[in-house]
Amino acid sequence: MIDTLHQSGGRGTLFPGTPPALDLRGIDKAFDGKPALVDASFSLEWGEVHAIVGENGAGKSTLMNVAAGVYAADGGEQTIDGKARSPRSPMEATAAGLGMVHQHFRLVQSFTVSENILLSLGRDSRIRTPAQAAAAIAAKAAEVGLPVDPARVVADLSTAERQRVEIVRVLLLGARILILDEPTAVLSEEEAKMLLSFVRRLARQGHAVVLITHKFREVAGFCDRITIMRHGKTVMAGAPVADIDEGEVARLMVGEALAVSERPLSSPGAVNLSVSGLTQKPDRFGQGLNALNFELHAGEVLGIAGVGGNGQEELVACLTGLSRQDQGSIRLGGRDLSRASPYDRRKAGLRIIPSDRFETGLVRELSIAENLALTQVAKGNFGGTFFLNRKGMRHAATAAIQSFDIRGASPERAAALLSGGNAQKVLLARELDAGMKVLVAHSPSRGLDMKATLFVRNAIKQAVEGGAACLLISEDLNEVLSLSHRVAVMNRGSIAGCRAIGDVTPEWIGALLAGHV
Amino acid sequence: MDFLIGWLAIIPSYATPLLLASLGLIICERAGVLNLGAEGLMAVGAMTGAIIVLSGGNPWAALGGGAVAAAALALLFGLATVVKRADHTLSGLAIVAIGLGMTGVLGRPYVQKTFPGIETLGDLFGIDRGTVFGRIVAVQDPVTIALPLVVFALWWWLQKTRSGLRLTAVGENPAAADVAGIDIQLTQLAAVLASGVLCGLAGAYLSVATSHVWVEGMVAARGWVAIALVIFARWNPARALLGALLFGAADALVPRLQAIGADFPVYLTMTAPYILTLGVLVLSSLRGKTSGEPGFLGRVYLRQDKH
Ligand SMILES: Nc1ncnc2c1ncn2[C@@H]1O[C@H](COP(=O)(O)OP(=O)(O)O)[C@@H](O)[C@H]1O
Ligand SMILES: [Mg+2]
């Protein structure tokens, strides 16, 4: 399939007869034995803007990091401008004329723009002082038409401004191949448009640009060709954008996993959780929430799909009570919990599996027994004000370790020593207790292996069959589709759509994921 | 009046070791390595300096010897923290223990033997001690006088040059420094060595230039004060100069008051540096996040994936 698709890559070539700007063939890469790229390919021509799309975890960033010398590939061939080149560091890639702007910027916050750029110039550069750097930046910024003020401190800049600094830096270092990793994910509509027009201009001047994005709109409007990745493989290599429609992109992106069947509720029940008009203004770093409405019935899993950073973190924080919504209400089993403390919410039957186990879930330094007892101690379950019933805690932990099959664990071991899957089991053992009415699970199987993932999903299934309701928030489409009775898609802080599982189609979900409402 | 002149005259000699040590710590911490070993490094410098003079060496050579000896101990610290990625706090405390323990044993034969120190400006240039100016300047030594220049040079280097920026970048955001092609371990190791040299110099200055004698425990918490001074100075050498004068003035006040016959409880003299240090730390913590602390201070940077 890949081979036939390779031939379709002619249209974007503005300079016939020149070798491709960047060519990656048969790239393999594994992290700790887990394959992230499997025989992935990518070919970029001079003068084009080439989109790479794919689900989270598809390997887009990894493939581009290989090209930019951040990661070394385990196998495969790489050329830059026709010459065999596998850069062993970002510096080498820069020297070969390739620069990457990462998803997470690499700037020193306390430095000014000039100081940051000065930093990345090699020893042999003629620019040696911040003043010289400032002049060079101003000149470059004016030349390419990206406003950047060299004198400002990075910490004071907006996200869009920081991104411009990164781009100007890469260009100043001499990049003619520019890789932008999800640059528009952090921008407003207006800012994104500015950036994309800039990128088009750059391509017209003969640069080659890679644009990783989730939005089909941007692909259709600003890119020449598209490469689609799934599970570390290239499933469509460099097709002209004009020849492909959105439905096809969505299908290729998501794959066959979407063959879902009707999943009737085993015990459709009363409304356990009702959220209405939940609104929060965006803060400096995050996404806001726009009037979210949904209801969760006993015995039901409502899956919320969406690309990370579209308000999922904020929604979870509002539900747990770690942050306060500006407007809207949260009712659990008929009780208004809109202003309740996290502790009161827990008492009312809300349970949380946070996306980062060790950030708001477990305490690394405490033992497994202590972690398991954490939510119970306040209730007085393990002794009074002055003496903790350590023996009771130990017994309870031993029981939990057995029933949840937590490997490599003893009650006294520190939670930090557990592997991801076993840490998650500790969390499940604690949260899935008798008092649970609503479970909020955020990416519950992120980073887990197959077996642990299955375990976690089964635990959730059982909990729901036992009469609880579950809100499953996950970037992993497979997970959402394999557990949910209804599926909603979150985009830019809103719920873009919601359907019963039987009505979910790849086109529908793909379009909503891409923000094409 | 006499009291005031006498006090002013000795402030620089109190400020100098504090400043030298804190300049070293600033370099080290700017590179992201938290060095709590200053007290031990200074003790090694002080003892080595004394031994060299007592063995017939030149006082200037003694300063250099103290610096080299402390740098050797700092190298051990660097190997632990930078190369082996050991915990910075624990390694620092270990250096204090090693430094104090080692000097206690090795320095025993040299305890309480006085020796000539480095010459003062009065000795060198025959400054007339009749005037107020003369009385203050004559007791200063070349190290003290040269120090403001060193401060300025260091400030310039950190703030205005590319290599200075590279050092700071390592301590602020090693991931960014890494992408910029900076060798993080090498930079940090060099910074640790620099702190060894400067702390050693500070210790040697104490024995060779100030007291002209070696006694166990003579560093008397000045290493800890220097650590607090770095926080007070917000990792800025120019502010460290100011802070060292302030701390030095406070430190010099007690012996001056004793000299004019004021009756002082000994425990107050002994605890004064600690109390002062504590006060500074409390005040600085009130200032919150804008304290200038390097973003990655004391943490271990591991690149996700290595080639
Ligand atoms: N530095 C890393 N260490 C371990 N695993 C990684 C690392 N970077 C990426 N991965 C894994 O590789 C896979 C592909 O990730 P990535 O390339 O970031 O996906 P994408 O950018 O398409 O969302 C994921 O499963 C991710 O967890
Ligand atoms: Mg990515």
Side-chain angles (χ1 to χ4, degrees):
Chain A
M1 177 180 190
I2 288 169
D3 280 338
T4 55
L5 284 168
H6 254 303
Q7 297 154 4
S8 63
R11 182 187 158 267
T13 315
L14 292 185
F15 304 94
T18 53
L22 174 68
D23 196 37
L24 305 170
R25 270 167 201 277
I27 304 291
D28 294 316
K29 173 75 187 167
F31 293 105
D32 308 319
K34 239 182 94 188
L37 293 177
V38 185
D39 192 23
S41 304
F42 178 71
S43 182
L44 176 71
E45 300 292 339
W46 291 113
E48 74 166 340
V49 180
H50 194 137
I52 302 184
V53 302
E55 269 192 277
N56 278 306
K60 307 179 295 291
S61 301
T62 305
L63 185 62
M64 288 303 109
N65 273 313
V66 165
V70 178
Y71 298 150
D74 300 335
E77 283 162 32
Q78 298 173 244
T79 67
I80 295 178
D81 201 15
K83 291 184 269 295
R85 280 251 171 81
S86 309
R88 272 168 304 144
S89 73
M91 303 306 283
E92 283 189 26
T94 306
L98 183 150
M100 176 161 174
V101 175
H102 295 268
Q103 234 166 323
H104 305 286
F105 302 150
R106 308 281 163 90
L107 295 170
V108 180
Q109 303 254 349
S110 58
F111 283 11
T112 63
V113 171
S114 345
E115 286 169 345
N116 262 293
I117 290 182
L118 195 59
L119 198 65
S120 17
L121 297 169
R123 283 197 188 290
D124 40 346
S125 167
R126 268 169 295 116
I127 302 165
R128 304 201 143 266
T129 67
Q132 290 167 346
I137 294 159
K140 195 72 188 177
E143 179 196 325
V144 299
L146 275 190
V148 162
D149 180 353
R152 299 208 24 218
V153 174
V154 168
D156 299 335
L157 299 181
S158 72
T159 314
E161 288 170 316
R162 285 178 204 197
Q163 189 175 64
R164 293 207 289 269
V165 173
E166 287 272 25
I167 294 174
V168 167
R169 164 158 84 179
V170 163
L171 293 177
L172 199 60
L173 289 173
R176 293 191 53 231
I177 302 169
L178 183 65
I179 300 173
L180 303 173
D181 195 351
E182 296 193 32
T184 56
V186 294
L187 299 181
S188 72
E189 206 94 11
E190 282 310 299
E191 291 166 341
K193 232 178 237 144
M194 248 187 74
L195 175 75
L196 292 165
S197 322
F198 162 76
V199 157
R200 275 245 60 95
R201 216 160 52 232
L202 213 57
R204 213 173 306 128
Q205 290 161 7
H207 286 70
V209 182
V210 179
L211 182 77
I212 300 182
T213 178
H214 287 288
K215 304 187 181 91
F216 188 75
R217 202 169 4 157
E218 298 175 357
V219 177
F222 296 91
C223 300
D224 300 300
R225 291 194 299 155
I226 178 170
T227 288
I228 305 177
M229 296 189 68
R230 184 172 74 233
H231 297 329
K233 297 194 183 78
T234 311
V235 291
M236 155 138 349
V241 166
D243 299 354
I244 192 166
D245 68 35
E246 188 171 356
E248 201 178 344
V249 172
R251 239 186 335 272
L252 283 168
M253 226 170 98
V254 196
E256 310 312 321
L258 267 176
V260 287
S261 54
E262 204 74 31
R263 186 174 300 124
L265 292 183
S266 47
S267 61
V271 175
N272 266 16
L273 178 77
S274 126
V275 168
S276 68
L278 196 72
T279 302
Q280 194 179 38
K281 286 194 214 66
D283 70 1
R284 228 161 80 83
F285 305 104
Q287 167 72 44
L289 297 174
N290 310 324
L292 302 184
N293 294 304
F294 57 85
E295 282 186 342
L296 211 55
H297 298 262
E300 174 191 51
V301 177
L302 170 60
I304 298 203
V307 177
N310 272 298
Q312 291 95 330
E313 299 285 342
E314 290 75 11
L315 172 60
V316 173
C318 280
L319 289 176
T320 53
L322 290 177
S323 77
R324 183 68 40 90
Q325 71 274 16
D326 296 320
Q327 276 165 38
S329 72
I330 299 167
R331 302 177 68 84
L332 200 155
R335 266 185 66 196
D336 187 6
L337 292 180
S338 309
R339 316 238 138 235
S341 70
Y343 178 57
D344 286 333
R345 293 176 196 221
R346 175 170 285 281
K347 273 201 299 193
L350 185 73
R351 300 289 182 270
I352 310 285
I353 299 177
S355 60
D356 187 331
R357 287 161 209 127
F358 285 108
E359 204 68 46
T360 43
L362 302 173
V363 184
R364 246 177 239 281
E365 293 77 11
L366 292 184
S367 73
I368 291 167
E370 286 164 334
N371 266 299
L372 283 168
L374 215 52
T375 56
Q376 312 267 321
V377 172
K379 279 191 276 184
N381 280 6
F382 289 109
T385 316
F386 295 108
F387 293 101
L388 274 177
N389 177 6
R390 291 261 170 203
K391 215 168 145 191
M393 281 164 56
R394 223 171 12 250
H395 278 308
T398 312
I401 287 172
Q402 267 188 357
S403 67
F404 278 80
D405 187 26
I406 305 172
R407 302 283 167 83
S410 70
E412 285 82 16
R413 249 171 107 81
L417 298 175
L418 291 172
S419 70
N422 287 308
Q424 194 72 329
K425 285 179 182 175
V426 172
L427 206 52
L428 285 169
R430 189 180 78 198
E431 299 293 305
L432 304 185
D433 60 3
M436 171 179 62
K437 290 209 178 70
V438 172
L439 176 70
V440 175
H442 189 186
S443 297
S445 58
R446 178 187 286 174
L448 304 188
D449 61 30
M450 285 294 286
K451 236 176 121 197
T453 301
L454 265 177
F455 186 94
V456 168
R457 292 185 186 167
N458 275 329
I460 292 176
K461 253 186 216 154
Q462 276 173 19
V464 171
E465 274 156 20
C470 173
L471 184 70
L472 172 69
I473 302 169
S474 178
E475 294 169 30
D476 180 348
L477 217 43
N478 267 318
E479 177 159 79
V480 170
L481 296 175
S482 68
L483 284 177
S484 308
H485 300 98
R486 284 185 297 144
V487 176
V489 179
M490 233 178 142
N491 201 312
R492 285 194 181 271
S494 304
I495 289 187
C498 182
R499 282 188 179 181
I501 188 78
D503 302 331
V504 170
T505 62
E507 288 80 8
W508 176 76
I509 224 169
L512 293 188
L513 282 179
H516 208 82
V517 198
Chain B
M1 192 60 197
D2 258 1
F3 169 78
L4 198 63
I5 293 168
W7 185 43
L8 285 178
I10 62 166
I11 287 175
S13 69
Y14 277 82
T16 297
L18 293 179
L19 184 56
L20 281 169
S22 49
L23 292 181
L25 296 176
I26 286 175
I27 296 176
C28 190
E29 296 190 4
R30 283 257 193 156
V33 182
L34 177 65
N35 185 351
L36 296 182
E39 184 80 6
L41 297 171
M42 284 177 76
V44 168
M47 179 201 70
T48 312
I51 293 180
I52 291 176
V53 185
L54 286 171
S55 321
N58 174 308
W60 291 102
L63 287 182
V68 171
L73 186 56
L75 182 64
L76 184 69
F77 174 71
L79 290 177
T81 51
V82 178
V83 181
K84 285 290 169 199
R85 302 199 160 93
D87 182 81
H88 293 191
T89 306
L90 289 179
S91 310
L93 295 179
I95 291 299
V96 175
I98 294 172
L100 294 182
M102 201 166 78
T103 51
V105 176
L106 296 180
R108 196 158 294 148
Y110 303 93
V111 165
Q112 299 274 354
K113 295 183 178 153
T114 55
F115 49 81
I118 52 179
E119 291 168 314
T120 61
L121 296 187
D123 304 334
L124 287 170
F125 304 109
I127 290 169
D128 171 23
R129 295 176 194 234
T131 65
V132 171
F133 174 79
R135 279 177 63 192
I136 293 179
V137 172
V139 296
Q140 309 307 327
D141 57 65
V143 177
T144 311
I145 295 301
L147 216 43
L149 284 176
V150 175
V151 169
F152 178 74
L154 184 59
W155 174 83
W156 180 270
W157 180 67
L158 286 173
Q159 228 65 39
K160 303 283 176 194
T161 72
R162 203 157 68 183
S163 53
L165 280 179
R166 294 164 81 90
L167 178 89
T168 309
V170 169
E172 287 286 347
N173 185 348
D178 205 0
V179 174
I182 298 169
D183 188 329
I184 291 174
Q185 292 203 346
L186 203 64
T187 308
Q188 290 188 325
L189 215 50
V192 168
L193 279 182
S195 74
V197 166
L198 283 163
C199 286
L201 213 52
Y205 182 90
L206 274 179
S207 62
V208 176
T210 314
S211 0
H212 305 175
V213 68
W214 155 255
V215 210
E216 194 183 342
M218 69 178 289
V219 177
R222 286 186 181 83
W224 298 108
V225 175
I227 290 169
L229 189 51
V230 171
I231 298 170
F232 172 84
R234 299 182 206 163
W235 289 264
N236 176 342
R239 279 182 62 97
L241 173 61
L242 190 81
L245 286 174
L246 223 64
F247 275 58
D251 212 1
L253 196 57
V254 180
R256 268 292 95 188
L257 288 171
Q258 278 170 335
I260 60 167
D263 190 14
F264 253 112
V266 174
Y267 65 83
L268 199 63
T269 359
M270 302 285 281
T271 49
Y274 298 100
I275 293 171
L276 196 64
T277 307
L278 210 59
V280 166
L281 293 180
V282 169
L283 282 180
S284 331
S285 69
L286 293 181
R287 215 169 34 217
K289 261 286 176 204
T290 55
S291 62
E293 180 174 331
F296 218 76
L297 181 59
R299 285 158 63 192
V300 170
Y301 171 70
L302 273 179
R303 198 192 306 180
Q304 285 279 334
D305 186 69
K306 277 195 285 190
H307 286 272

